[in-house]
Amino acid sequence: MAKPIVAIVGRPNVGKSTLFNKLAGKRIAIVEDTPGVTRDRIYADAEWLNKNFTIIDTGGIEPESEDIIISQMRRQAQIAIEMADVVIFVVDGKQGLTDSDNEVAQMLRKAQKAVILAVNKIDRKQLDDNIYEFYNLGLGDPIAISASQALGLGDLLDEVVARFPKYDEDDENDEYIRIAMVGRPNVGKSSLINRMLGEEKHIVSDIPGTTRDAVDSYLESQEGKFILVDTAGLRKKSKIKEQIERYSAVRTLAAIENADVCILMIDAEKGIAEQDEKIIGYAHELNKAIMVIVNKWDLIEKDDKTMNRFKNDLREKLGFLPYAQYLFISAKTGQRVNKVLGIAKECYNNYSKRIKTGILNDVISKAVMMKEPPVVGINRLKIYYVTQVGTKPPTFVFFVNNPALLHFSYERYLENQLRNNFDFGGTGIKLEFRERKE
């Protein structure tokens, strides 16, 4: 299930960034009493009633302004509205209803999105009556809030999560393995998906950045059912000049979070870059199943050792991903493309793997006998019991005498023992350590 996206919009200086910071739980957006301070979209994760979502702060919308900065901010806000599941429309309860508010409301009605009207700066009881004029916007019941004082935010968030798209627990998409194709622009993500689908569904161009959003394609094969997600290529932040690309980055990160398998695509001619490491590093932090595909292999002059040299170089640069699976292909010629889904399915199977508790404890007991935890001060870590508590990713909880005695090198040793005894190739695994009295 995709993480819902909530966009905060409104004309300048109504308190959008203050509200964003309160919902995000930290000061991210710059808050000043000057219209137009938030010129860029800023996004953060939030949670309410055990529901996780992404919130986006936008520059203020000035519908009639011709100022180039204001017009860019307006375009950004329009993009945010297009991609959002729910829109919080913030107005100023002290200043009252303005013509600009009516213009924004008209834009929101055309977008046909779930809209919640938040009347901000209602921080005194005598201001409560100020909300009634905002019924004239025709966007339903206004909710009185004070973002700076954190008043009314619970009621606001209750309405937000109530408007999230409803998903059936037996959603047929649960049968599908979600694969997110990530990488820098123009490495061939769309070309690979088109080759796998056997149709020209995705626009393929030599111009970087053709894919602006995360696009889903459904595919059934002998390996199983898959959803292939083509994401916009992520550039370095300093190179993200077109405003729309910043929203594409939000969608790409969301695609990684929602994926079962993440495939990092690399251009064989250009090699790996720092941005590739950051993209797949995000998937690694989430313990996703990971594949690395080197595309355009047909363009490389090679001998019988070229592939091994290239792979070893990648493994060294991606040292934090010793478990990743590698494949060298040409999306253009079709070379080895038929192996992509098979390897992705193997990664997914390991991502979903469950180990019986008895076998698991036998392996860990032997590992501890072979190598005891190091002494920290005068104490030593004791492992009483281990159990697997989840899959996707495989998650193991170790009950110990004191988690503070765990050294990172010993945690890595335990992970290696799990990997050596059980096939977790292609997937991250998660280890947790909890205190339990002997």
Side-chain angles (χ1 to χ4, degrees), residues 46-225:
E47 182 264 337
W48 185 253
L49 299 179
N50 295 318
K51 294 184 178 177
N52 296 300
F53 53 97
T54 298
I55 51 175
I56 304 176
D57 187 19
T58 66
I61 305 172
E62 283 283 12
E64 300 303 324
S65 175
E66 296 301 322
D67 179 272
I68 187 167
I69 295 293
I70 296 295
S71 65
Q72 286 180 355
M73 290 160 57
R74 182 170 66 246
R75 176 61 183 142
Q76 292 179 60
Q78 288 172 332
I79 299 165
I81 292 167
E82 290 169 10
M83 68 184 287
D85 297 293
V86 178
V87 177
I88 300 176
F89 176 23
V90 183
V91 293
D92 189 327
K94 284 186 178 177
Q95 187 175 356
L97 185 63
T98 68
D99 290 341
S100 291
D101 291 328
N102 280 302
E103 294 285 348
V104 177
Q106 186 175 355
M107 180 192 301
L108 292 172
R109 283 193 292 270
K110 288 180 181 177
Q112 297 184 322
K113 296 284 184 174
V115 178
I116 298 168
L117 180 58
V119 184
N120 192 27
K121 305 182 184 180
I122 306 295
D123 46 15
R124 298 193 305 277
K125 189 68 178 174
Q126 55 265 41
L127 292 175
D128 281 353
D129 290 344
N130 291 21
I131 71 170
Y132 295 111
E133 66 174 318
F134 291 99
Y135 276 98
N136 293 321
L137 292 174
L139 294 173
D141 295 335
I143 298 176
I145 67 167
S146 170
S148 62
Q149 303 296 321
L151 300 175
L153 300 191
D155 293 339
L156 176 66
L157 287 170
D158 286 345
E159 282 296 315
V160 168
V161 299
R163 307 288 184 92
F164 286 162
K166 297 293 189 294
Y167 295 94
D168 189 340
E169 290 186 4
D170 297 323
D171 192 334
E172 62 179 10
N173 284 355
D174 290 345
E175 301 176 16
Y176 287 77
I177 300 170
R178 291 189 68 90
I179 300 177
M181 302 283 189
V182 301
R184 287 177 292 158
N186 208 33
V187 294
K189 299 185 293 294
S190 298
S191 297
L192 175 58
I193 291 178
N194 285 340
R195 171 71 69 166
M196 294 164 72
L197 292 172
E199 57 181 290
E200 293 296 317
K201 178 171 182 177
H202 297 257
I203 299 169
V204 177
S205 167
D206 285 336
I207 302 170
T210 304
T211 304
R212 295 292 196 179
D213 210 343
V215 182
D216 292 2
S217 299
Y218 291 77
L219 173 63
E220 294 189 24
S221 72
Q222 61 184 14
E223 285 86 4
K225 298 180 178 180

Side-chain angles (χ1 to χ4, degrees), residues 4 6 40 87 117 123 137 167 170 172 239 284 296 305 333 343 373 398 405 427 432:
V6 178
D40 237 329
V87 177
L117 180 58
D123 46 15
L137 292 174
Y167 295 94
D170 297 323
E172 62 179 10
K239 292 186 178 179
H284 168 68
K296 307 183 185 179
K305 296 183 176 63
T333 68
I343 296 176
F398 291 74
L405 298 174
T427 183
E432 298 177 2

